[in-house]
Amino acid sequence: MSEPNQLVELLSAKRIAERLETLADEINQHYAGREILLVSILDGAIIFTADLLRLLQVPTQLDCLRISSYGNSTRPASAPRITGSLKSDLQGRHILLVDDILDTGNTMEQATREILALHPESLKTCVFLDKPDRRANGFQADWIGFSIPNEFVVGYGLDYAGRYRELPYLAKLHLTEPS
Ligand code: IMP
Ligand code: MG
């Protein structure tokens, strides 16, 4: 029988909560006097979005995009596919696009292309994590929670094969189970 996969904590729940306070302060300042449409990329950004949303002090509406690039692996199986679309009219709105992690940048590149085609007034991006070493396209987010080395991480919404999203902290995943 194989050992269970090993999790090594990288960011505690407390450290995440503290960072989100300062991130939200910056976002609140930037959008002072305006209204935001926050577009969250499901499923990974769900926890980050829920926490960030409750720290925003400017009027904010929520919409979600579903984009999938990973099958049951730690490497993208295909180019990102948009599998669920927006319900809102984006024209003339201030869009804050939120994702869990900026890795190769392909997901954010595709999402920003889709959004810009809908003629928003402005578009900014915010990611919980940035893995700059893996970038394939030079994409840079406007706000980043934490920059991390090139390791596969889970927890706080991020999964491996659909697992570990519920962890309140971020962990490095060491695979011991055959995948
Ligand atoms: P990108 O398109 O390569 O930038 O990847 C972005 C998407 O890949 C994210 O929205 C995540 O869902 C997923 N992803 C990338 N790195 C990790 C990781 O370390 N753990 C879990 N999911 C990841
Ligand atoms: Mg994702």
Side-chain angles (χ1 to χ4, degrees):
M1 234 180 66
S2 60
E3 292 290 309
N5 294 329
Q6 225 188 321
L7 298 168
V8 179
E9 183 176 293
L10 268 186
L11 300 171
S12 68
K14 181 166 178 281
R15 195 153 165 228
I16 294 171
E18 284 169 359
R19 175 68 188 125
L20 257 66
E21 298 262 347
T22 50
L23 201 57
D25 282 349
E26 288 176 27
I27 294 172
N28 284 325
Q29 273 179 32
H30 176 80
Y31 287 108
R34 289 182 282 178
E35 291 190 14
I36 309 175
L37 176 64
L38 190 159
V39 175
S40 176
I41 302 182
L42 299 180
D43 300 327
I46 191 164
I47 310 277
F48 178 48
T49 299
D51 284 348
L52 184 67
L53 197 54
R54 284 175 290 179
L55 295 169
L56 295 182
Q57 286 164 0
V58 287
T60 303
Q61 292 184 359
L62 176 68
D63 205 339
C64 297
L65 258 184
R66 176 164 269 152
I67 304 186
S68 172
S69 53
Y70 281 54
N72 291 341
S73 79
T74 59
R75 291 187 176 275
S78 56
R81 276 183 317 125
I82 297 194
T83 58
S85 53
L86 297 168
K87 60 183 193 305
S88 318
D89 183 1
L90 270 60
Q91 188 152 7
R93 313 281 301 271
H94 296 290
I95 310 299
L96 178 62
L97 178 64
V98 173
D99 202 4
D100 54 355
I101 184 165
L102 187 54
D103 188 25
T104 63
N106 292 333
T107 301
M108 278 305 233
E109 188 178 60
Q110 178 152 356
T112 53
R113 207 183 311 125
E114 294 273 326
I115 288 174
L116 288 172
L118 300 169
H119 308 292
E121 173 73 23
S122 70
L123 172 61
K124 294 274 183 194
T125 54
C126 176
V127 292
F128 172 53
L129 300 170
D130 184 19
K131 259 197 236 177
D133 295 351
R134 295 245 311 151
R135 200 77 83 259
N137 57 12
F139 193 98
Q140 291 197 0
D142 296 295
W143 290 286
I144 290 165
F146 297 91
S147 189
I148 61 165
N150 181 15
E151 311 207 77
F152 198 80
V153 290
V154 294
Y156 199 69
L158 292 103
D159 75 307
Y160 165 66
R163 291 162 62 192
Y164 308 115
R165 290 194 201 277
E166 72 281 12
L167 299 176
Y169 57 91
L170 187 81
K172 198 158 87 175
L173 179 70
H174 292 284
L175 286 179
T176 47
E177 293 171 1
S179 52

